[in-house]
Amino acid sequence: MSSPSGTRRVRDAPGLYAPAVPDAQPPLFCKWLSFLPSFSPAWQTALAGALVLALTISAGWFVIYRPLRAVDDDQSLLKSSALKEVESAETAYQRAIDKLAMQAKPQLENPATPLLANYHEKLLVLDSAIADLRAQAGMNPSNAQLRYQLLAMYQEKQHTLEEILEAKP
Amino acid sequence: MICNQPTFRRELLRLAAVAGALSAMLLFMAKPLHAATPAQDQVSRDFHQTVTLGAGQSVRLEHKFGSVTLHGESGRDVRISATIRAEASSHEEAESFAQKIKIEVHQTGEGVRIKTIYPEEEKKWFHSGKHSSWSVSYDIGIPSDAPITVRNSFGSVEVSGVHGAADVENGYGTVTVRDAGAGRWNNAFGSIELAGAAGNVSVSDNNGSVQVSDVKGALEVRNRFGSITARSIQGAATITGGNGAVALTDAASANITTSFGSVEARNVRGDLSVRDNNGNIEISGVGGSADVTDSFGNVGFSDVHGRVNCTTNNGRVKGSSVTGGSVTIRDSFGNVELDTISGALDAETSNGRIAVRDARGSVTLKSSFGAIEASNVPKGIRAVTGNGGISLTSAEILLPRPVSEVL
């Protein structure tokens, strides 16, 4: 690798400093840094200043954000991957519920027994809870409590619809 | 000197450049380390405050999103710890929202009121489609004798070692209570589990299971669509269920009403009353009288020391070991099987078989369309059937004669 021209000029200038042993091996870290281009002193000063600024910003950033820590193993808020899984499960429940609701519709519209009337009432309560939870989850989507409760309500509704179909006379 | 001076100066600057570049890299890498995903960033902030509670003063908590843990401690301090968590599409937004969620602690003559305040503007801003979430969890230590009032909507509530009067209402989440005093515990859509209460307890739920044990006072439970399990109740138990199974073990007395679930009651020291519509009823070990009404379920009873009065429409009745009082059974479309009855027996069914063994008092049996079988009835039997056989063994037949036949 040839020396940069600027370096050569300084080295060749007489009387500036005693010439170094021409064939001496440069120290390892000098070699290591030699890949960097040479800059004029003004640029070097500017670069150093920029680095000091970057270090100051880094330190400041850590100081400013120190009171707020990253949420690690806490389960209060779902991570994006978990949220996707929950949303996928919700979709699956909704599909299953839609199918079951279609099958149970005749019995629920005209409940023939007190038990079916009670199931109908239970479904209304569950629908109200699902609507409430969905509204809250829309505003607070990663809140684990909301999503798990919503899943539980879907599960309960599916189970109730299955019971209605089993209770078919 | 290893390098000459100008070279050394340049190399130093280069070294500084590398250091700076590395620090800049760290600067940019540090932020993703805090991010849950590239798209979302979560932050949390802790809150701590301690206030002193005067004698007789209470603690009230008003909360909405997140878990609540309350535990009784010695001393008069209320030590409030909370963790506020927020998530948004950038760290700055999450941090900004976390900083705006406030926990208000008010001391009044009545006691301490703790309230979570969510910024209204931010909530409106969230409505505009930003993907942001939040949660606040509490851990509060309070004097163990302090009365508490808790209102929470979406989160679990856990209370332990608090012996003051409790008034707790939750919405969606579990309620868990350990070693409490007298109290009222309500939940809408989540289970309630209470173990240990020093006074009277009232529990109400809508659609979750209820489990209660070791209550020193009376117990009142209401649950609309969930199961109820209660045991070791020193006082009277009043249970109103709806569409879930009811199980009660060890109570001073009990009054159970439900609609579409089974009922199981064991070891009731006093009187027991059970009303059900569409579930099986099974009772055993009743110190007083048992009054049972059902519509479409089987009824079983055993080891009852007082009077038994049982009415059902479409179910089998099977009873044994009624040692103290009379037994009256009214059934419509089910078989009746009775064994070891000390007092007077009066059993009637419209369309079922009646079988009686070891009835020591006077016996009257009537069936419209079923057979009657009786054995070891020393004080005599009056048996009437419309369309079935009558089989008597070791029994004295009393007039009037049966309508159909006597074998």
Side-chain angles (χ1 to χ4, degrees):
Chain A
M1 189 179 181
S2 62
S3 300
S5 59
T7 308
R8 193 183 299 123
R9 275 202 301 274
V10 173
R11 215 175 258 169
D12 292 344
L16 281 176
Y17 59 89
V21 183
D23 296 332
Q25 289 291 318
L28 190 61
F29 80 96
C30 293
K31 242 184 185 179
W32 180 62
L33 294 169
S34 65
F35 71 91
L36 290 170
S38 294
F39 296 105
S40 67
W43 274 108
Q44 288 170 6
T45 309
L47 183 62
L51 294 176
V52 168
L53 186 66
L55 281 169
T56 309
I57 291 170
S58 299
W61 189 89
F62 279 110
V63 168
I64 289 166
Y65 291 112
R66 192 174 50 189
L68 293 165
R69 64 172 190 273
V71 177
D72 33 46
D73 57 343
D74 176 71
Q75 302 294 315
S76 302
L77 297 177
L78 294 171
K79 305 286 187 292
S80 286
S81 56
L83 181 60
K84 278 179 186 165
E85 284 176 23
V86 169
E87 284 172 341
S88 160
E90 284 173 10
T91 307
Y93 270 122
Q94 281 173 322
R95 284 183 190 149
I97 285 168
D98 287 345
K99 285 181 186 173
L100 290 167
M102 283 296 287
Q103 291 175 51
K105 196 178 174 184
Q107 286 157 274
L108 291 169
E109 280 179 347
N110 297 300
T113 63
L115 181 61
L116 283 174
N118 184 265
Y119 277 132
H120 184 60
E121 189 190 342
K122 183 177 179 179
L123 285 174
L124 292 176
V125 171
L126 289 174
D127 283 342
S128 164
I130 286 169
D132 191 11
L133 284 164
R134 284 182 66 169
Q136 294 293 338
M139 290 184 284
N140 197 352
S142 295
N143 187 296
Q145 180 71 25
L146 288 172
R147 303 314 288 241
Y148 291 143
Q149 285 294 322
L150 184 55
L151 271 185
M153 290 300 119
Y154 279 134
Q155 195 174 21
E156 184 73 20
K157 186 173 178 182
Q158 183 183 352
H159 184 63
T160 305
L161 285 165
E162 285 167 351
E163 284 182 339
I164 289 167
L165 292 170
E166 282 170 16
K168 206 174 191 174
Chain B
M1 199 70 183
I2 300 172
C3 297
N4 59 48
Q5 272 188 350
T7 308
F8 181 65
R9 185 176 159 223
R10 276 197 302 274
E11 300 308 342
L12 273 179
L13 282 167
R14 286 172 186 172
L15 188 62
V18 170
L22 284 171
S23 100
M25 280 170 68
L26 278 173
L27 176 67
F28 289 106
M29 284 173 66
K31 194 176 166 186
L33 282 174
H34 281 72
T37 68
Q40 291 291 300
D41 212 323
Q42 293 183 9
V43 297
S44 69
R45 180 166 69 87
D46 290 337
F47 172 93
H48 298 283
Q49 188 171 343
T50 300
V51 291
T52 303
L53 197 71
Q57 290 189 322
S58 63
V59 176
R60 179 182 179 88
L61 172 64
E62 293 172 31
H63 188 41
K64 196 167 182 186
F65 298 101
S67 62
V68 173
T69 302
L70 282 165
H71 42 90
E73 294 178 346
S74 58
R76 301 308 307 166
D77 284 346
V78 177
R79 296 192 297 166
I80 307 154
S81 299
T83 304
I84 299 162
R85 296 181 178 86
E87 181 192 272
S89 52
S90 73
H91 187 90
E92 289 72 25
E93 286 174 7
E95 183 211 342
S96 171
F97 189 67
Q99 295 287 0
K100 284 174 183 168
I101 295 173
K102 301 291 179 198
I103 292 173
E104 191 180 82
V105 180
H106 261 311
Q107 275 194 284
T108 65
E110 292 179 352
V112 176
R113 195 190 78 165
I114 305 155
K115 188 174 182 181
T116 317
I117 312 262
Y118 301 98
E120 286 301 319
E121 284 182 14
E122 292 292 333
K123 280 196 277 188
K124 283 176 194 164
W125 179 65
F126 282 166
H127 282 272
S128 66
K130 298 271 186 181
H131 183 147
S132 304
S133 301
W134 62 95
S135 173
V136 179
S137 58
Y138 279 97
D139 188 321
I140 305 174
I142 64 169
S144 59
D145 63 348
I148 57 167
T149 302
V150 177
R151 299 289 180 265
N152 192 20
S153 298
F154 302 97
S156 60
V157 175
E158 194 176 331
V159 179
S160 61
V162 178
H163 302 135
D167 179 2
V168 174
E169 282 185 16
N170 195 41
Y172 298 85
T174 58
V175 173
T176 310
V177 188
R178 301 263 182 280
D179 184 24
R184 193 177 72 89
W185 310 88
N186 291 352
N187 203 1
F189 293 95
S191 64
I192 299 178
E193 188 184 339
L194 184 149
N200 296 341
V201 169
S202 168
V203 176
S204 174
D205 205 336
N206 208 358
N207 192 36
S209 65
V210 171
Q211 291 184 61
V212 182
S213 61
D214 299 318
V215 175
K216 299 286 188 286
L219 170 68
E220 186 179 348
V221 182
R222 284 179 180 275
N223 197 0
R224 206 167 164 196
F225 297 108
S227 63
I228 299 169
T229 305
R231 65 174 173 82
S232 302
I233 314 300
Q234 284 196 6
T238 305
I239 296 173
T240 308
N243 196 2
V246 175
L248 171 69
T249 310
D250 295 318
S253 63
N255 191 332
I256 301 170
T257 307
T258 187
S259 296
F260 299 98
S262 63
V263 174
E264 189 179 329
R266 300 189 186 283
N267 301 333
V268 177
R269 296 182 293 280
D271 295 341
L272 169 67
S273 170
V274 181
R275 299 273 181 279
D276 197 352
N277 278 330
N278 289 273
N280 295 335
I281 298 172
E282 194 67 40
I283 61 176
S284 66
V286 180
S289 65
D291 193 353
V292 181
T293 304
D294 202 354
S295 294
F296 296 94
N298 298 329
V299 177
F301 56 86
S302 64
D303 192 21
V304 180
H305 296 273
R307 174 185 54 80
V308 173
N309 193 354
C310 173
T311 305
T312 184
N313 284 326
N314 290 277
R316 169 184 57 78
V317 177
K318 188 173 182 180
S320 65
S321 301
V322 180
T323 55
S326 61
V327 175
T328 305
I329 310 289
R330 293 290 179 269
D331 197 355
S332 296
F333 296 95
N335 296 335
V336 177
E337 294 174 46
L338 301 167
D339 186 3
T340 318
I341 310 296
S342 297
L345 169 61
D346 181 359
E348 184 177 331
T349 182
S350 299
N351 198 12
R353 182 177 67 91
I354 300 178
V356 176
R357 199 175 62 158
D358 292 327
R360 303 291 169 160
S362 64
V363 176
T364 302
L365 307 176
K366 187 177 178 183
S367 177
S368 300
F369 297 97
I372 292 175
E373 295 171 19
S375 64
N376 199 14
V377 187
K379 284 197 176 174
I381 180 168
R382 191 181 305 271
V384 178
T385 179
N387 195 15
I390 296 178
S391 169
L392 303 176
T393 307
S394 303
E396 184 181 344
I397 301 164
L398 302 174
L399 291 173
R401 303 279 297 182
V403 174
S404 61
E405 54 182 327
V406 177
L407 298 177

